[in-house]
Every structure is written in C-alpha cells, then in structure tokens.
Amino acid sequence: MFRSHRQAFLDHMEDGDIALFQGANHMVRNHDVDFPFRQQSGFWYLTGLPEADGALMLAKGVEGVAEETLFVLPRDPAKETWHGRRLGPEGAMEKLGFADARENDEFPEVALSAMQKAKRVWCRLGEQAELDAFVLESLSAIRKQTRLGLTPPSAVLDPGPVLDELRLFKSEGELNLMRRAAAVSAEAHMLAMAQCNPGFYEHQLEALLHFTFRNHGCNDAGWAYPSIVASGANACILHYTDNNQACADGDLVLIDAGGEFQHYAADITRCFPVNGTFSPAQRAVYQVVLDAQIAAVDAVRAGNPFHDIHDLASLKLCEGLVSLGVVKTSVEEAMETGSFRKWTIHNTSHWIGLDVHDCGAYRFDGVSRPLEPGMVLTVEPGLYFSPDDDSIPSELRGIGVRIEDDIHVTGGTPENLTVATPKAIADVEQACAAERLAPPTLESAGI
Ligand code: GLY
Ligand code: MN
Ligand code: MN
C-alpha cells in the first residue's frame, strides 16, 4: 500500500525532481513524559514508518540518486532498552519494503548532494522549522557554488496539493482499514448505549468507548479525536470534552466518538436516552435530524457537488424547525435569510481518512467539486436548543441532537461505513435495553 502511494507521488514528479518529507518528532507533554507518538499523516501515507525522527527522499531521474530513500533512527541497544525497539535501516528495508534506507543523521549530506543535482525540489515549507532551515540553507549554499559548475534547483514546489488529492481517494486497502475503524466504533457506541443508566457519569461512558477502541487494537490512545460525551444541555456545546457530569434521568446523551485503526479514523455521533426511552420532545427533534441525515446520506452519489449534501440537509432541518414551532416564518423565508442557522450551527460534512478532518480541496475556483468514487465524507446534521433560548417552545430547551455517519462514495448506492451503529429510534431504544453488564465499581475492584 505505502509503496503504491509513493509511486503515485512519483508519477507527479518530473525528471530531475527530488522530494523531501519529514516525519513527526516526539513532543513533550510534561517533565520526562512525551505525548503518545502519532506519525504525521502524510508521512505515514508514504512510508508506514511507526517511528519518530524519520525523513523520506524521493528522486526521479536524478543521476546517482536512489528513487526512494528512507531515513530512520539508528539501532541503539541502550536506547532501545529504555524506549523501545527500532527498525534501523536494515529493518526498514526488510519490513517496510524500501529499496534504500539509511540512518537519519545521513539525511543532511545525502539530501544536499541530491539537491546539488536536482532541477526542482518538492518540499512543504512553513510546517516543520527544521526542514525549512535545511532546505533554505542548502539552496543558499548551492547558489554560492555556481562558479564550480553547480546549477541550483530552479523551483521549490509544495507537495501538499498533490499529496492531499492522492489521500482524498481511498484504495480498497484503505477502505478496509476504515471499515474496521467503523466496526470497532459502532461496537463502542452500542456498549455505551447498553451500559448507560441514570447516574452513570459521562467519563464512565468515555471509558467504555476507549476500552472498546483499545480492546480491538486501535492505535495510541485508541481514539481518532477526543471523545465527546455530552449529556443533557452539554450536547449544545459542539466540542464538549469535559465529560465529567452525571447523566440525568430524562436527558439524552450525545456521543461523538470514533476509533483510529492503523491511523484511519472513524467519526460517529449518536444520541440516546439515559433511561432508555425518548420523551415526546426528544423523539420529535431526533426524528427531524434523522430524516435530514438519511436524505443527505442518500445524496452522497458520484457527480453531486459536495455542498449539495449540506444544502439538502439544511433544507430538511429548516422544514423540521418550522414543524417544531421553532422557526416561525415560512421555510422559504428562513432559507432565504438563514435565520434557522442559529439552531443548526455547523456544516454537514468533511472528508475523513488518515485525519478525522481529512485533507483535500472542497472547491475548485470557488465552485463546489463533484463527488467521485473513492472519496469518504461524514454526514452529520444536528439541532441544538440552548437551555436559555426563550424564543423556542420550552420543552425543546436543552436538547441537542447530532447524527453522524461516514459515507463512501461509490459508483452507485452510497456505502455507509458506520451503518452498524443503531440510528432509527426503535433500534436505539433496543440497543439501550440490551443486557447491562454491571460495570466494575471502585469497591468491587477492591480499591
Ligand atoms: N468529531 C468531530 C467532527 O464531527 O467533525
Ligand atoms: Mn465529523
Ligand atoms: Mn464527529
């Protein structure tokens, strides 16, 4: 998979080009403790290297320069005893299938030598200070050597748009990883639905989600983004991650959570009643969002412009807001003025892949791009009624509902990767009524 990704990038290079990429480094969290290591997504896409401090050089038709060279940390028994195993150059060639791999302290010399011969250099400036400095200093040094017969590279090109466009179209191998992330995440949501009871804390639901992610081998902390577990009116805070309140009888819980499997994300939102049964007001709001979501998912078809998904979801939500008595004008007027957006707030979709908000252009020359097979996007309309919004019927205040699935654009019917997560009201209530295993308590765990 990674080799074919490199080949696809090489196909965009011209004879005489080299391309330089730098991986992620460790980041300090607090004294002597690093954040869990997460490879930079573009670098992972090209290399599959699970280690820090890596670099990659690709070259096309540059005499004496290998087509691909991976630079990795050297083997070091003492450091590996403390911090973990390293592939080393031999391991990188053997396990990752690189034709050429070297220790990373060779990068400056090897890359400078290649730049001296290259016509153009692909390098994303402005993201990694170390790489920026290397490229700029190398260009400056080469320009000073023109009397020795060196011709400096005539252009520095940004690999970002090419790489982003490649990543936007998922191969079958990538889709299988996303299907796995989606299946694990569906199970996590169902476990939370089954376990929740009045008095259960949001962080206890979060723990069940993260248990499921890790239990099925999702990487690092397990999640693709910090989980949102928002009971009651907390659901009206879009990126609520405090997750420290008790779930109250009669409230809904909104969970926006997805695992990350071999670096590929799932992104699922579901809402369910703490006591297992939707109240009439909750049911009415939920059904509006559900109808909008189902209509929008069905529109995820090749040829439809990306923004049509949002426009359709917005129309359905607006119609629902009129029927709920929230919007007091006609649908046409509310659509015209945008007055209904106070309760819908956010957009409906984003690309998803190695990043939960994945790369890839949404418009070309200001025009929404048409969907194409191989793209994957979320569909996630929502309605949010603040508890202190006295312009709306009182029974709606404090209700927040979002429903989110991950949809693969095919040549025909859209493939819902997250379809296993209950969504219809009856299915959600059934999942809430599933057998509840007694969660371990501090007392029963003997602490
Ligand atoms: N979980 C972030 C989002 O839904 O976009
Ligand atoms: Mn999302
Ligand atoms: Mn989400």
Side-chain angles (χ1 to χ4, degrees), residues 12-33:
H12 283 81
M13 294 169 64
E14 291 178 7
D15 273 348
D17 284 359
I18 65 162
L20 303 174
F21 302 92
Q22 191 184 6
N25 303 330
H26 286 293
M27 283 175 63
V28 175
R29 177 180 182 272
N30 60 319
H31 188 58
D32 280 351
V33 177

Side-chain angles (χ1 to χ4, degrees), residues 343-366:
W343 299 284
T344 63
I345 306 181
H346 55 78
N347 287 326
T348 305
S349 299
H350 54 80
W351 310 129
I352 179 168
L354 283 170
D355 292 316
V356 62
H357 290 182
D358 211 23
C359 55
Y362 290 100
R363 297 176 195 271
F364 291 128
D365 295 328

Side-chain angles (χ1 to χ4, degrees), residues 208-228:
L208 293 172
L209 299 165
H210 295 184
F211 160 77
T212 309
F213 297 158
R214 288 297 288 152
N215 194 34
H216 291 295
C218 287
N219 31 275
D220 305 330
W223 40 259
Y225 54 94
S227 299
I228 295 166

Side-chain angles (χ1 to χ4, degrees), residues 225 256-257 267-269 350 380 402 404:
Y225 54 94
D256 183 346
D267 185 5
I268 303 178
T269 308
H350 54 80
E380 49 179 309
R402 177 166 66 255
E404 175 174 28

Side-chain angles (χ1 to χ4, degrees), residues 172-442:
E172 197 54 29
E174 292 180 287
L175 287 166
N176 280 334
L177 297 176
M178 295 190 73
R179 290 181 184 115
R180 181 79 187 147
V184 170
S185 304
E187 183 180 319
H189 278 260
M190 285 191 277
L191 181 62
M193 289 178 192
Q195 293 291 83
C196 191
N197 267 317
F200 215 86
Y201 273 79
E202 293 165 345
H203 63 78
Q204 293 180 295
L205 295 173
E206 178 186 317
L208 293 172
L209 299 165
H210 295 184
F211 160 77
T212 309
F213 297 158
R214 288 297 288 152
N215 194 34
H216 291 295
C218 287
N219 31 275
D220 305 330
W223 40 259
Y225 54 94
S227 299
I228 295 166
V229 183
S231 64
N234 295 334
C236 300
I237 302 168
L238 297 182
H239 288 166
Y240 173 84
T241 49
D242 289 348
N243 300 356
N244 59 5
Q245 301 296 306
C247 301
D249 197 358
D251 275 350
L252 292 179
V253 190
L254 179 155
I255 294 183
D256 183 346
E260 183 178 276
F261 190 76
Q262 293 186 20
H263 294 76
Y264 285 84
D267 185 5
I268 303 178
T269 308
R270 289 292 186 270
C271 302
F272 59 88
V274 172
N275 63 19
T277 308
F278 285 87
S279 73
Q282 291 164 350
R283 183 177 291 262
V285 175
Y286 189 94
Q287 195 63 49
V288 166
V289 178
L290 183 61
D291 290 344
Q293 206 258 2
I294 289 171
V297 167
D298 191 55
V300 178
R301 290 172 188 263
N304 284 350
F306 174 85
H307 292 90
D308 279 17
I309 311 304
H310 178 60
D311 293 345
L312 178 59
S314 298
L315 175 63
K316 295 284 174 194
L317 290 176
C318 184
E319 289 170 355
L321 285 165
V322 171
S323 69
L324 289 169
V326 172
V327 167
K328 298 181 182 78
T329 65
S330 68
V331 170
E332 293 70 31
E333 186 179 335
M335 288 297 288
E336 176 88 21
T337 61
S339 61
F340 71 101
R341 296 196 191 282
K342 175 180 174 190
W343 299 284
T344 63
I345 306 181
H346 55 78
N347 287 326
T348 305
S349 299
H350 54 80
W351 310 129
I352 179 168
L354 283 170
D355 292 316
V356 62
H357 290 182
D358 211 23
C359 55
Y362 290 100
R363 297 176 195 271
F364 291 128
D365 295 328
V367 178
S368 186
R369 75 185 293 172
L371 298 175
E372 295 177 61
M375 295 171 162
V376 184
L377 59 149
T378 65
V379 177
E380 49 179 309
L383 288 178
Y384 309 91
F385 300 121
S386 164
D388 49 16
D389 184 348
D390 54 16
S391 73
I392 63 174
S394 59
E395 66 274 17
L396 300 183
R397 295 175 202 162
I399 295 178
V401 172
R402 177 166 66 255
I403 303 173
E404 175 174 28
D405 284 307
D406 304 341
I407 311 297
H408 166 215
V409 185
T410 71
T413 314
E415 180 193 12
N416 185 344
L417 302 181
T418 47
V419 70
T421 329
K423 186 161 76 171
I425 287 178
D427 293 343
V428 171
E429 289 187 342
Q430 191 180 13
C432 291
E435 189 182 353
R436 291 183 169 90
L437 305 173
T441 63
L442 292 178

